Amino acid sequence: MKYLNIQELSSHLNVKAKTIYGWISQREIPHFKLGRLVRFEKDEIDRWLEQKKVDPIDLEKLSRKF
């Protein structure tokens, strides 16, 4: 099991650490609190990220509805 800190997760997701702190405070991202330390399980983050996936719209299929 691999655990990431804020900086490692920031690199993994290619987002700023400030963004991750916002997600933590809004309880949007799975994490562990160990006192003042925050850690993220890499596999759990990858599953969370997959749930955020938005499929593209099939415009051809959409146009048939109208």
Side-chain angles (χ1 to χ4, degrees):
M1 214 174 295
K2 169 98 170 137
Y3 293 95
L4 306 172
N5 63 30
I6 297 279
Q7 290 73 30
E8 292 167 333
L9 184 60
S10 175
S11 290
H12 180 64
L13 297 179
N14 197 29
V15 298
K16 293 182 179 181
K18 185 176 180 179
T19 300
I20 296 171
Y21 283 113
W23 290 340
I24 292 167
S25 69
Q26 295 171 10
R27 303 185 92 169
E28 290 186 28
I29 191 168
H31 63 281
F32 295 95
K33 291 276 293 194
L34 306 168
R36 294 182 66 183
L37 298 175
V38 179
R39 295 294 182 259
F40 307 88
E41 185 180 333
K42 185 181 179 306
D43 292 340
E44 189 173 12
I45 292 298
D46 291 338
R47 285 190 300 273
W48 172 80
L49 191 60
E50 188 63 31
Q51 292 173 353
K52 299 293 184 185
K53 181 179 177 182
V54 177
D55 291 325
I57 295 173
D58 184 345
L59 294 177
E60 189 175 310
K61 197 177 203 180
L62 185 64
S63 67
R64 287 188 218 139
K65 289 183 178 182
F66 297 104

